[in-house]
Amino acid sequence: MSQTPEQSQLGRRSAYADQYDAGLLFPLPRSPKRAELGLQPGAAPFFGADLWTAYELSWLNARGKPQVALAHITVPCETPNLIESKSLKLYLNSFNGTQFASADEVRARIRADLSEAAWRGSGHSGSVGVRLIAPEGFGAEQVRELDGLLLDRLDVECTQYTPAPQLLSTNHDEAPVTESLVSHLLKSNCLVTGQPDWGSVQITYSGAQIEQAGLLQYLVSFRNHNEFHEQCVERIFMDVWARCRPIKLAVYARYTRRGGLDINPFRTSHPQALPRNMRTARQ
């Protein structure tokens, strides 16, 4: 039976296990929210992945000495489940008091557990990507802004704070363009707790030029909307895809860190390399 967000540990007082426990992971099916967007299983017009960064990963080596690392996690968007974020935090915390022979063993264990959870109940299997960064590699981690023309420069009036796709429009009188548009004004709320989630979003497309003021007002309209990060990005993708009908479209959001984790969904209409898992200055 599928689990629901209300059954998760979100918004509840939690005991923090310090011994490895894969049972802490809480997968949630993607299908209910995709059905709201009119998407049938296997029929989404996008590819992509959810790109996670875990900043608080630690375990004990064979001699009991603590080890630390950053983890970059890639969950393909075709997995039937997403991983609820607090459950991932609790799961990673459970490594704190457990001995592992090597960082490779830790990486393999995380990869196996997340892969099982992401595909659970589907009758299929697949793999989640996991890459660990040791302390000597921390200095190479990039911090830079998303590339693109900043929409936030526009002095627009904003009056709608729940998703309003009717604000989206295109200019068919001009030649088609290829451009990237960026805003740092994306804000939504957790589906369960209502806590605010802050993010930057990059929309890259080819096709009739999207009216920029309307696009900015549309992104602002998520301000009082309750959905998980992954669901918000898919809603943005589908609204722009349906209303603006671009030839190509990619939507990439980088959310600020909470509880030692950031979640950065990427959706694209055409196969392409995933964005590099970097931080923006806001993170």
Side-chain angles (χ1 to χ4, degrees):
M1 185 174 67
S2 296
Q3 300 182 109
T4 66
E6 292 75 18
Q7 295 172 306
S8 75
Q9 288 296 316
L10 281 171
R12 301 182 185 182
R13 186 181 299 275
S14 301
Y16 286 83
D18 65 355
Q19 295 296 314
Y20 165 73
D21 184 359
L24 293 168
L25 289 170
F26 194 88
L28 290 169
R30 299 183 190 267
S31 55
K33 280 294 181 178
R34 287 181 174 175
E36 290 182 11
L37 302 176
L39 297 176
Q40 298 300 316
F46 50 71
F47 308 89
D50 306 323
L51 307 174
W52 296 65
T53 309
Y55 296 89
E56 300 173 0
L57 175 61
S58 182
W59 66 95
L60 305 179
N61 69 10
R63 300 185 65 188
K65 181 183 176 182
Q67 309 291 296
V68 296
L70 299 178
H72 290 307
I73 300 167
T74 302
V75 182
C77 72
E78 64 265 24
T79 60
N81 304 314
L82 55 84
I83 308 296
E84 188 274 306
S85 60
K86 185 174 181 180
S87 80
L88 180 57
K89 173 183 172 64
L90 295 173
Y91 164 75
L92 293 177
N93 280 343
S94 79
F95 283 71
N96 291 347
T98 304
Q99 291 185 337
F100 291 90
S102 66
D104 285 342
E105 182 183 356
V106 172
R107 184 192 63 82
R109 177 46 48 201
I110 294 173
R111 182 179 182 182
D113 292 341
L114 295 185
S115 297
E116 186 282 325
W119 291 92
R120 187 179 300 168
S122 67
H124 302 283
S125 63
S127 183
V128 165
V130 178
R131 182 167 59 95
L132 300 190
I133 308 296
E136 55 268 25
F138 289 175
E141 291 293 285
Q142 293 186 343
V143 180
R144 67 180 179 86
E145 296 297 341
L146 295 169
D147 294 329
L149 181 63
L150 188 64
L151 293 171
D152 306 347
R153 75 190 192 283
L154 301 173
D155 184 18
V156 299
E157 180 180 13
C158 298
T159 60
Q160 300 194 58
Y161 302 108
T162 56
Q166 68 272 16
L167 294 169
L168 296 168
S169 64
T170 53
N171 184 352
H172 291 278
D173 296 329
E174 302 291 338
V177 301
T178 296
E179 63 180 358
S180 294
L181 303 173
V182 172
S183 176
H184 303 303
L185 303 186
L186 179 62
K187 182 256 180 194
S188 55
N189 303 316
C190 172
L191 180 63
V192 176
T193 67
Q195 294 182 26
D197 294 320
W198 306 91
S200 298
V201 61
Q202 177 192 63
I203 296 174
T204 302
Y205 72 98
S206 297
Q209 189 167 40
I210 296 175
E211 201 276 313
Q212 294 180 12
L215 177 58
L216 179 58
Q217 291 169 322
Y218 165 74
L219 294 174
V220 169
S221 76
F222 278 75
R223 198 166 182 84
N224 290 336
H225 182 61
N226 291 7
E227 271 188 326
F228 293 139
H229 302 20
E230 302 92 332
Q231 297 161 350
C232 286
V233 167
E234 292 185 359
R235 186 175 296 275
I236 292 169
F237 183 99
M238 290 305 301
D239 285 345
V240 174
W241 187 252
R243 303 283 300 193
C244 302
R245 293 180 293 174
I247 301 167
K248 293 183 177 180
L249 175 65
V251 179
Y252 179 40
R254 293 203 61 88
Y255 281 87
T256 54
R257 187 188 321 175
R258 180 190 291 174
L261 298 168
D262 61 47
I263 310 169
N264 310 291
F266 174 70
R267 302 292 185 268
T268 175
S269 62
H270 53 291
Q272 61 171 303
L274 295 172
R276 294 190 66 181
N277 209 359
M278 63 190 181
R279 292 179 293 149
T280 66
R282 292 186 62 191
Q283 292 174 301

